[in-house]
Amino acid sequence: MWRVTPGQALACREWDGEAVLYNDLSGNTHLLEGAALDLLHALHVQPADAATLAVRLADHFDAGDDDLVSLIDDMLHTLAGLDLIEPC
Amino acid sequence: MLTVGSLSRAELEARLSGTGLVLRTGPFANRIRSDVQPLIDGVALMYADYPVDPEGGFVDFHLDFLRSGGLRRWVRSQVHFAYDGTTPFQPLPLGQAYPMLEWTMNWCVSHRAHGYLIIHAAVLEKHGRAIILPAPPGSGKSTLTAALLGHGWRLLSDEMTLVHLDDAVLVPLPRPVSLKNASIDIIRAFRPDAVLSRPVEETTKGTIAHLKAPRDSIARAVEPARPACIVFPRWEAGAAITLDPLPKARAFMQVADNSFNYQVLGARGFAALGRLIDASNAYTFRYSDLHEAMALFERLALGTA
Amino acid sequence: MMRLPLLVRVLRDPAAVRGLDGVGWDLLLRQADAANLDAFLLVLLEDAGLLDAAPAGPRAHLEWTRTGAAGHARAARYEVRQIRKALDGLDVPLILLKGAAYALAGLDAGRGRLFSDIDILVPKARLAEVEAALMMHGWITTHHDAYDQRYYRQWMHELPPMQHARRGNSIDVHHAILPETAPVHPDPDSLRACARPIAGEPGLAMLAPADMVLHSAVHLFFDGEFDKGLRDLVDLHRLLGEFGAQPGFWDALPARARELQLGRPLFYALRYCPRLLGTVVPPAVLAAVAPDGPRGPLLWLMDRLFERALLPLHPSCADAFNGPARFALYVRGN
């Protein structure tokens, strides 16, 4: 299960499917694909795991079912490495 | 209004060697003290049109440039920079004193003035539209800037674009345009009317000269501008002229990378840059011919490019 | 006592800014800048509702410090977060010292304070594990010279500073608050035993209030370096102000100082904070620490030396005495 790290306000700006996001913890700014931003917004609403997110966001992605969960899992680990989300 | 040019040479030297010359550049008052002749020459020539503030008021930055004393005085004279009693930099050969003034004035702003997002970029305005030109050294930004100034563009800045934090307004800081190496001759040829400082050789950046800012730009320094375009220029020998749109999120990241204080500003900087990107169309720009570049920029100013 | 510099007068009484002209504000800000207190000056004036008394120019300069201070606080929190992750598996009690503690505990002393290194206190027996864990997570030791390494590990109270390879921030890992070579030895086990958890930060602790004051005092009066002398004195003043309001703090302070062999630094703290910054200390406490101070001529000399060494390091505050004063105290500290 993942949640948005407490203290992250997810300040972001999006233009043409690409987004920039300000990381309140590290002070860094990240360039994110729209899909990664969708994951963050979904987790902000409610903590979830990769499988749940795959179901909730199926129409945002192109991949098939199995690939999608694993793809989302990879993205979640990347986001965790940036301290944007954490396990809970 | 008192300007540097309205002071006699004797008065100028007296102020500089006494309580200081308070030189106003854009929103900043700089108190300069120096006994170094090449620096005084540079100020007299390049800053003739700039306002001089009365003594006895609040000053933003305190810059002292002094000759080294003692034995070295005769062997190899140096100029030492002190900021309010601290010495953040190594001394330089006396001949580099005027470029040192320019570099340290930049340093004062970029290290302290965190009421602005400060982008390492030139910014010019024409027909009410301002174009920001971020560019790492060697991209031809200064040559382009110097050329545009001869075509009716107003100079807001050649090195530091000041973006007001609460709205995306651009605050002018018009100062002499720095030119390096080959640029100096290119601009001499392109703009025979231009006033240049005496070239200084063997600096860490090669040969340096400065181009005097247009009087009109200095007079309009209190007049902010609204951003219209962000253009990342690159000069390439023989290149056909191209202007390609740059996706805004990428432009955001590239401008952040080209900023002096984006990191320091944190969330406020993020918000300010977001507003700037909202207001601007971003492009990458390749050119080899200055005349073609002038024509294209005219179209950008008119909004027809 | 000689006339205090403008900055010190304003620190004692912020309302003094009301009488300032352009030149006065200019001098105040330059002294504050030189003393690393410009960000604090913003906090001080804002708390006192005096920011509007500043004309536009000085007001802008004060505001310019705001984002920098916020950035330092944020960076400290993030760095501590990374340190905590690195030491997670070790079950080592992690005590934050100095600025990092002030920032994470939300103490008044942390507001408007800038700092670069994170200081932590760990048990001496666990030093090797802590160092190894930090290295695994990207910190590397500095001071690679063999002499420097020995100097730190054998004689000092800390590892050589470690720097994070990617982020560039430094961490000082202490096992005691004074070097082995110091004339006194405040017992680290006692400091650890009295440490308090930091509210809202699981796994993080800070020194007990009295110990935090004593650590700050010994750092200021024993280290012998005074470039941040006034800033450190302001830290003490703010700590005393905040903790002084807690029941029992003043009563227990002199005895705790003696227990940790830190009676002398406490004496100086409670002498110079009131003299320079107007800190309010109960007379009974002053009487209790009086025996720990130097006598007669030596006290007179210390007064002359410290009262000058603790001024802002700015040309406007220099007198012929200042240089020799700092040097004499530096030699004494070593």
Side-chain angles (χ1 to χ4, degrees), chain B residues 176-197:
Chain B
V177 177
S178 74
L179 297 168
K180 287 192 288 285
N181 303 316
S183 291
I184 301 170
D185 290 326
I186 291 171
I187 291 301
R188 276 218 175 98
F190 196 75
R191 292 191 51 198
D193 61 303
V195 176
L196 291 167
S197 64

Side-chain angles (χ1 to χ4, degrees), chain B residues 159-170:
Chain B
E159 277 293 319
M160 290 186 297
T161 298
L162 304 182
V163 185
H164 210 271
L165 282 182
D166 298 322
D167 50 38
V169 158
L170 303 175

Side-chain angles (χ1 to χ4, degrees), chain A residues 11 13 15 18 20 22 29 31, chain B residues 250 253 262 266-267 270 274 278:
Chain A
R13 300 301 315 277
W15 298 279
E18 287 177 327
V20 291
Y22 179 73
T29 301
L31 178 68
Chain B
R250 285 168 207 266
M253 298 303 285
Y262 176 76
F270 178 82
D278 276 340

